């Protein structure tokens, strides 16, 4: 049996779910498919933290509020932060960012990915959008003016427009033959949640070590002593650190962090994630669009990945809704290119900035070490420059879609 829809979104993660919600009143027959179950898990406030978290910007918060998902996040667990400290572990350079510099209450919220996902699934279950769990894609081909999707279990789906929101290893991107530019960072990220002796003070902390950046992101559960860590190291060092028992790992982690929050008293189970940058040469073709990590994946240096994805979803929804209002064919590449023209320059600029930071702080030559330390001190003494950076990171400036506008 063949299922037909006006739009098929492949991938019901955070970004795909956000796009579906943004289009729920469009009049389109939408099918949202995913290889995983699409059920909402009961939430226990005393439960351990999920290892994967996102640093949601103010722009992402506004999008989630307008999609009806933010109340679900607030009812579960989120950790606001108003300060950020960054310093060079090989020198004396440091920089401090504050929400108060732009008269904002917070710089963002650290939220577990599972919390965001469930908060998006709740309004989806109450909508008319078709949800198809356990749907793993095996084949994708053109069939007349449509795309024909064949699932592993033999079911077939048909639609004139398909959106790939199925992550960095996108099956849609691969099966459609979309070209990418990509390279290995030659680093792995160790992620987990840790309990520190000193409170995090609702501050995001980041130290650039000789091996790579180490971030302590504030989490709240009864107190301010928990942090999510992202520790970027070489593959060999990652293998060594993953093999350590918790006591030794916590000791080495505390030393790498210069004991800024006192001793690391305990750690949850660790994940190790290879880091690779990937960017599609085109985000669109006839009847197809790539969003989120399917279109671009960047270094987790500043936690901007999901924020870029939410902006992708909001802009694509805006482009499609405007096209519906004008009676245009949504699968037309000329229509979809409006989304690409708005998002690709912004995403490329963010990727270039993250790549530049990563390379600068990995550089060993003495002149470059002097340059980055001097640069950090210089920028830290320029309130206007820092405020500009904060406004950009918060989503208070730039080409923002309607859903993200203040």
């Amino acid at each position: 049996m063949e299922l037909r829809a006006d739009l098929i979104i492949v991938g019901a993660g955070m970004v795909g779910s956000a796009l579906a919600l943004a289009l729920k009143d469009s009049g389109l027959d939408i099918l949202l498919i995913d290889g995983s179950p699409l059920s909402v898990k009961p939430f226990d406030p005393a439960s351990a933290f999920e290892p994967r978290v996102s640093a949601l910007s103010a722009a992402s918060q506004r999008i989630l509020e307008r999609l009806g998902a933010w109340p679900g996040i607030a009812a579960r667990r989120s950790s606001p932060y108003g300060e950020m400290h960054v310093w060079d572990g090989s020198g004396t350079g440091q920089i401090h960012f504050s929400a108060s510099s732009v008269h904002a209450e917070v710089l963002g919220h650290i939220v577990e990915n599972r919390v965001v996902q469930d908060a998006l699934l709740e309004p989806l279950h109450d909508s008319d959008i078709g949800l198809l769990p356990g749907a793993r894609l095996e084949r994708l081909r053109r069939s007349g003016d449509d795309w024909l999707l064949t699932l592993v279990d033999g079911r077939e789906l048909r639609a004139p427009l398909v959106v790939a929101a199925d992550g960095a290893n996108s099956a849609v991107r691969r099966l459609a033959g979309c070209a990418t530019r990509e390279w290995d960072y030659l680093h792995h990220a160790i992620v987990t949640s840790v309990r520190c002796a000193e409170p995090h003070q609702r501050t995001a902390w980041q130290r650039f070590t000789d091996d790579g950046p180490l971030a302590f992101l504030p989490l709240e559960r009864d107190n301010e002593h928990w942090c999510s860590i992202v520790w970027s190291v070489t593959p060999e060092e990652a293998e060594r650190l993953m093999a350590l028992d918790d006591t030794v790992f916590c000791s080495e982690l505390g030393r790498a962090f210069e004991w800024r929050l006192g001793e690391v008293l305990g750690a949850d189970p660790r994940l190790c994630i290879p880091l690779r940058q990937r960017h599609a040469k085109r985000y669109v073709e006839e009847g197809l669009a790539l969003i989120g990590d399917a279109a671009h994946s960047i270094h987790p240096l500043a936690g901007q990945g999901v924020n870029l994805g939410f902006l992708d979803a909001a802009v694509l929804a805006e482009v499609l809704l405007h096209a519906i209002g004008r009676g245009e064919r949504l699968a037309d590449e000329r229509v979809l290119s409006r989304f690409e023209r708005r998002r690709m320059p912004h995403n490329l600029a963010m990727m270039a900035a993250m790549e530049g930071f990563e390379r600068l702080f990995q550089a060993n030559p003495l002149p470059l070490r002097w340059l980055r330390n001097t640069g950090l001190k210089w920028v830290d003494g320029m309130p206007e420059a820092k405020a500009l950076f904060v406004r950009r990171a918060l989503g208070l400036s730039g080409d923002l879609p309607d859903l993200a506008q203040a």
Side-chain angles (χ1 to χ4, degrees):
M1 185 177 113
E2 188 177 272
L3 289 176
R4 300 180 65 92
D6 297 321
L7 165 63
I8 295 176
I9 303 171
V10 181
M14 295 183 285
V15 175
S17 295
L19 175 64
L21 280 175
L23 293 170
K24 68 181 178 65
D25 298 322
S26 65
L28 296 174
D29 182 10
I30 300 172
L31 188 59
L32 178 63
I33 74 172
D34 198 277
S36 304
L38 297 178
S39 56
V40 178
K41 294 181 180 178
F43 182 74
D44 178 5
S47 63
F49 293 103
E50 292 280 340
R52 290 177 178 263
V53 304
S54 294
L56 300 181
S57 68
S60 292
Q61 180 180 345
R62 288 193 290 269
I63 291 170
L64 291 165
E65 286 172 347
R66 286 162 182 158
L67 297 180
W70 192 258
I73 292 173
R76 289 174 172 84
R77 192 159 57 194
S78 69
S79 305
Y81 64 100
E83 312 285 330
M84 184 173 184
H85 281 283
V86 180
W87 73 100
D88 186 352
S90 300
T92 58
Q94 59 182 332
I95 192 167
H96 167 243
F97 299 102
S98 174
S100 61
S101 67
V102 293
H103 308 290
E105 293 184 5
V106 298
L107 287 174
H109 291 76
I110 307 300
V111 187
E112 297 150 79
N113 288 1
R114 184 70 238 182
V115 166
V116 180
Q117 181 67 68
D118 283 352
L120 286 161
L121 284 175
E122 283 178 335
L124 277 172
H125 282 297
D126 295 332
S127 73
D128 293 329
I129 292 167
L131 301 178
L132 192 61
R136 292 191 295 117
L137 187 62
E138 185 174 72
R139 293 180 60 205
L140 176 71
R141 64 181 177 87
R142 295 294 291 180
S143 175
D145 292 332
D146 297 334
W147 286 99
L148 185 64
L149 292 75
T150 304
L151 305 181
V152 171
D153 60 11
R155 287 178 291 177
E156 292 191 329
L157 318 174
R158 178 184 291 270
L161 178 57
V162 172
V163 175
D166 51 344
N169 297 312
S170 169
V172 174
R173 188 187 65 227
R174 173 175 52 82
L175 293 170
C178 300
T180 62
R181 297 183 181 93
E182 52 187 278
W183 58 90
D184 198 321
Y185 280 113
L186 303 178
H187 272 68
H188 290 182
I190 296 175
V191 297
T192 187
S193 304
V194 300
R195 185 167 56 89
C196 302
E198 302 295 331
H200 52 61
Q201 305 158 54
R202 292 194 170 186
T203 298
W205 308 83
Q206 187 150 298
R207 177 185 184 238
F208 285 91
T209 74
D210 290 336
D211 286 328
L214 168 60
F216 273 57
L217 307 174
L219 296 172
E220 291 190 19
R221 189 184 68 202
D222 302 325
N223 58 51
E224 295 185 359
H225 288 262
W226 282 91
C227 288
S228 172
I229 69 138
V230 183
W231 193 358
S232 177
V233 293
T234 62
E236 296 77 19
E237 180 66 359
E239 183 177 3
R240 186 186 72 82
L241 291 170
M242 290 295 291
L244 299 177
D245 65 37
D246 282 354
T247 301
V248 179
F249 174 77
C250 289
S251 177
E252 295 218 11
L253 177 61
R255 185 179 303 107
F257 194 56
E258 298 181 344
W259 316 106
R260 284 291 176 108
L261 298 178
E263 290 188 30
V264 178
L265 303 175
D268 286 345
R270 293 159 248 163
L271 289 181
C272 185
I273 306 166
L275 299 180
R276 188 171 184 82
Q277 183 170 102
R278 186 180 287 109
H279 190 258
K281 293 182 179 180
R282 291 291 311 277
Y283 290 179
V284 301
E285 62 178 79
E286 184 73 15
L288 180 67
L290 312 179
I291 63 174
D293 284 355
H296 46 78
S297 55
I298 66 173
H299 198 287
L301 189 66
Q304 288 295 311
V306 75
N307 295 318
L308 298 181
F310 282 139
L311 288 171
D312 285 351
V315 169
L316 180 57
E318 189 169 287
V319 166
L320 295 178
L321 290 171
H322 287 173
I324 290 171
R326 290 191 288 264
E328 297 176 299
R329 189 171 64 88
L330 302 188
D332 192 326
E333 186 174 348
R334 291 172 297 182
V335 170
L336 298 174
S337 291
R338 297 168 193 160
F339 154 71
E340 182 182 68
R341 285 196 299 270
R342 288 181 64 182
R343 291 303 302 149
M344 185 174 280
H346 180 273
N347 291 334
L348 281 171
M350 181 61 71
M351 293 174 77
M354 294 304 100
E355 180 71 10
F357 272 118
E358 200 271 341
R359 287 179 181 269
L360 178 61
F361 281 91
Q362 287 300 298
N364 285 319
L366 187 59
L368 286 179
R369 288 176 178 250
W370 175 86
L371 176 63
R372 71 190 183 210
N373 278 276
T374 302
L376 283 173
K377 293 177 185 176
W378 180 65
V379 174
D380 195 45
M382 298 180 64
E384 298 84 0
K386 289 200 297 180
L388 182 65
F389 179 88
V390 171
R391 279 193 292 269
R392 190 73 179 184
L394 284 172
L396 300 175
S397 63
D399 178 19
L400 295 176
D402 291 343
L403 283 174
Q405 293 282 351

